[in-house]
Amino acid sequence: MSSARAAAAVDTTEASSSGRKDAAPESLDREAFKEVLNLLALRVPARQCADMMKAFRGFTLDRPRLKCIVNDGDPPRKDSKLLLLEEGITLESLTPELRGRVETDKLEVHPHQVTLDYSMLSADAVLKKLLPEGVDAPSSFETIGHIAHLNLRDEQLPYRHLIAQVLLDKNPHLKTIVNKVGSIENEFRVFNMDVIGGEQRLETEVTQHGARFKLDFSQVYWNSRLESEHLRLVGTMERGQVLVDMMAGIGPFAVPAAQKGLTVYANDLNPRSTHYLALNARLNRLGDGVRVFNMDGRAFLRLLCDTPSGPAEDIRRQRQQLERKPAEVPSQQERSPSAAGATAPQAATEGAVASSAVGQPAKRQRTKEKVSEAQGPVPPIPESFTPPIGGIIFDHVVMNLPASAIEFLDAFNGAFDPAAWAHRPLPTVHCYTFKRTNETEADIVAKAEGYLGGVMEAGGCTVHTVRDVAPNKLMLCLSFRVPKVVAFNGRL
Ligand SMILES: C[S@@+](CC[C@H](N)C(=O)[O-])C[C@H]1O[C@@H](n2cnc3c(N)ncnc32)[C@H](O)[C@@H]1O
């Protein structure tokens, strides 16, 4: 439609920082989409509408949001309806059988006009009309609460504001459209993005398997495509068990696991992730079910295991010093979540941590207080967490940092206290990683064993394919029990 194309014309005279021609401010002329269709209508008995639609299938009006059966006249006649034929269909272009049907059923044929406008077209149909030859409409986007996340190709970039405006118009639940800029290269797995339409509001809320998650999409990692994987893995865990989530993000494993009745030690290096993780534990009323840490994953594991080279001993010493100098430190009451000056996430974490018992899930304190939205850092180690001698006992470890989690397996080597674990099964590790097409699953398992520094039990590793992330790259989850030779290396 030439008028619509004209409405979408973009000025390509302004060069962007990337050196390509950029678009000047674009405007969407919705009026330019008005179009009158001149059709033929058959007057059909009201009671035979379904039968007639079936008989004339392939010749009837077939447009999104338009019906091929409409009222006959105004006020509408009760005994008849109009069956609309597609634009360009004449009596001559019908099959001989259908022409015969028109005659024998004495169907009257009338010219009929339908006015199409912007509101009747799908986003795809609008964009097909707007974008020039060679520029496709985006085929899909990810939705995160009120945010749509696009990954536009170079040739689509000059039209990004136009594309965003159409998506906002056609998807009323969307309020912000962002486009990914560059690839994820930072350790927090957060990508740069441009807001290309709508509100500059990047904090949003999503619901997954009944749990609520708040997040700022520009500050933390989130991938809606992992929802079924989160569910699958948590499905393998049992109520009463203890989960260690080494790279927990904002909690898509930790929160549902705690909802299921596991006690979760959840950690992430990104302080913004742990802020939202603590907030999400509170939003979902998980009380002390999720204990939030903000440190490197290796140090976190060695802290929880009380590994001699890890930070547990130092923390115990610090805690003892605090206990010895009660006059110089605020009392427990003063440090309580309701004490003046305590930020909400600190309160969340402090309130959440109540256990010094080895591996014993503390009784849940289901909070009833209103969840505060205040911002604030989560301490690296919850103030009321004192690592027990011999470490905590846990059942599962999740490591979802597929680009490098496998390298963190070295942290398990010699990490476990043989006395504490003597009569207990060692934990099951669920380590996410990537496999390229030139690698086999056996290669990946061997790579994991290389980082562990020891072999797994024969047949003891389950390899689950999570999804295709690129044409030659799969995301896998390796699940295996920590081998004894690895866990107690150098300690027996
Ligand atoms: C791919 S995201 C997964 C987050 C979450 N588990 C999920 O499924 O959405 C990886 C997370 O690892 C965190 N991370 C990166 N390096 C880390 C490290 N050395 N120790 C702990 N967490 C780390 C990132 O901040 C990020 O939140």
Side-chain angles (χ1 to χ4, degrees):
M1 189 170 62
S2 58
S3 56
R5 275 202 200 287
V10 291
D11 180 352
T12 55
T13 54
E14 193 184 310
S16 75
S17 55
S18 64
R20 56 169 295 129
K21 297 285 188 185
D22 204 347
E26 304 143 6
S27 63
L28 175 60
D29 180 3
R30 296 171 183 81
E31 286 300 305
F33 286 85
K34 280 224 163 97
E35 190 184 352
V36 176
L37 300 181
N38 288 300
L39 313 172
L40 285 186
L42 305 180
R43 176 166 284 144
V44 297
R47 277 203 235 128
Q48 291 179 29
C49 284
D51 183 35
M52 290 292 178
M53 277 167 64
K54 201 168 156 196
F56 284 84
R57 183 176 295 153
F59 295 95
T60 55
L61 184 67
D62 183 15
R63 310 280 173 118
R65 282 162 231 210
L66 284 184
K67 292 183 172 158
C68 66
I69 289 278
V70 296
N71 283 335
D72 184 7
D74 187 14
R77 290 167 59 156
K78 285 210 172 99
D79 57 340
S80 64
K81 295 271 183 189
L82 296 180
L83 176 67
L84 306 183
L85 302 184
E86 186 48 83
E87 192 183 28
I89 299 288
T90 60
L91 277 184
E92 292 68 41
S93 54
L94 294 175
T95 60
E97 293 77 40
L98 287 178
R99 276 204 299 275
R101 179 93 190 247
V102 172
E103 265 178 37
T104 50
D105 288 19
K106 297 196 174 51
L107 302 179
E108 290 174 33
V109 183
H110 296 279
H112 188 90
Q113 287 195 330
V114 169
T115 304
L116 284 183
D117 68 27
Y118 181 76
S119 71
M120 294 167 175
L121 297 171
S122 67
D124 202 47
V126 170
L127 287 172
K128 274 199 177 114
K129 285 175 188 281
L130 285 179
L131 298 174
E133 290 293 323
V135 181
D136 294 332
S139 54
S140 64
F141 54 84
E142 187 190 357
T143 305
I144 310 101
H146 69 272
I147 303 169
H149 162 215
L150 303 180
N151 204 348
L152 294 178
R153 295 197 296 268
D154 275 358
E155 71 273 14
Q156 294 167 325
L157 283 177
Y159 306 94
R160 61 196 180 281
H161 300 302
L162 203 61
I163 291 170
Q165 189 53 60
V166 173
L167 293 182
L168 288 168
D169 286 347
K170 297 293 173 186
N171 300 279
H173 61 287
L174 296 179
K175 302 289 176 229
T176 303
I177 314 286
V178 300
N179 183 45
K180 181 175 171 183
V181 180
S183 55
I184 302 186
E185 266 150 26
N186 55 67
E187 60 184 347
F188 297 157
R189 314 306 296 158
V190 180
F191 52 81
N192 291 328
M193 59 188 76
D194 266 349
V195 175
I196 57 171
E199 302 168 17
Q200 295 275 342
R201 188 162 57 91
L202 292 168
E203 186 177 81
T204 191
E205 188 172 321
V206 282
T207 304
Q208 267 198 358
H209 28 70
R212 291 169 64 191
F213 295 95
K214 265 213 162 162
L215 63 124
D216 185 317
F217 193 47
S218 64
Q219 297 180 340
V220 302
Y221 176 87
W222 181 260
N223 186 342
S224 304
R225 292 191 199 97
L226 292 178
E227 179 167 5
S228 55
E229 178 57 18
H230 298 141
L231 202 57
R232 179 194 75 81
L233 196 65
V234 174
T236 67
M237 301 173 189
E238 284 166 30
R239 183 182 173 76
Q241 291 188 324
V242 178
L243 164 65
V244 169
D245 191 349
M246 212 192 263
M247 295 104 178
I250 61 152
F253 290 110
V255 167
Q259 282 179 321
K260 192 172 178 180
L262 284 90
T263 294
V264 183
Y265 292 82
N267 171 68
D268 200 281
L269 189 61
N270 179 354
R272 297 306 296 155
S273 290
T274 48
H275 162 73
Y276 283 105
L277 177 56
L279 182 58
N280 292 332
R282 285 161 61 78
L283 271 180
N284 291 285
R285 309 279 180 215
L286 292 171
D288 61 350
V290 181
R291 298 140 196 227
V292 182
F293 296 71
N294 175 214
M295 57 200 299
D296 170 69
R298 279 190 185 86
F300 172 61
L301 184 86
R302 291 177 164 256
L303 168 72
L304 296 187
C305 288
D306 189 21
T307 309
S309 58
E313 190 52 49
D314 276 353
I315 303 298
R316 271 198 296 272
R317 208 171 304 120
Q318 282 170 22
R319 301 287 189 254
Q320 275 169 7
Q321 278 168 2
L322 286 177
E323 276 164 24
R324 268 194 233 115
K325 297 184 198 164
E328 290 169 32
V329 292
S331 68
Q332 184 60 38
Q333 197 182 13
E334 284 166 325
R335 283 188 284 129
S336 75
S338 56
T343 59
Q346 275 172 325
T349 314
E350 290 168 15
V353 179
S355 169
S356 62
V358 179
Q360 292 307 308
K363 202 160 176 286
R364 295 285 154 81
Q365 299 164 355
R366 300 227 172 252
T367 53
K368 288 244 162 55
E369 81 275 31
K370 193 171 177 299
V371 175
S372 165
E373 301 282 322
Q375 307 266 322
V378 166
I381 298 169
E383 280 183 28
S384 49
F385 175 73
T386 302
I389 291 179
I392 64 157
I393 301 295
F394 47 99
D395 302 284
H396 296 273
V397 185
V398 175
M399 302 168 70
N400 182 17
L401 177 59
S404 61
I406 200 163
E407 296 167 22
F408 286 65
L409 291 175
D410 62 2
F412 290 85
N413 196 299
F416 293 77
D417 181 340
W421 289 84
H423 305 293
R424 307 197 174 242
L426 284 159
T428 302
V429 177
H430 309 277
C431 178
Y432 289 87
T433 189
F434 294 128
K435 181 180 94 59
R436 306 213 168 252
T437 30
N438 60 356
E439 293 172 304
T440 63
E441 288 185 359
D443 292 338
I444 303 298
V445 173
K447 197 198 271 187
E449 290 176 333
Y451 284 109
L452 280 168
V455 292
M456 300 174 196
E457 285 166 27
C461 182
T462 309
V463 182
H464 172 77
T465 300
V466 180
R467 65 186 197 99
D468 283 2
V469 287
N472 59 355
K473 200 170 163 190
L474 288 181
M475 179 176 169
L476 303 180
C477 177
L478 308 183
S479 293
F480 59 90
R481 211 175 273 288
V482 181
K484 278 189 183 153
V485 282
V486 170
F488 306 132
N489 189 21
R491 299 183 66 175
L492 285 171

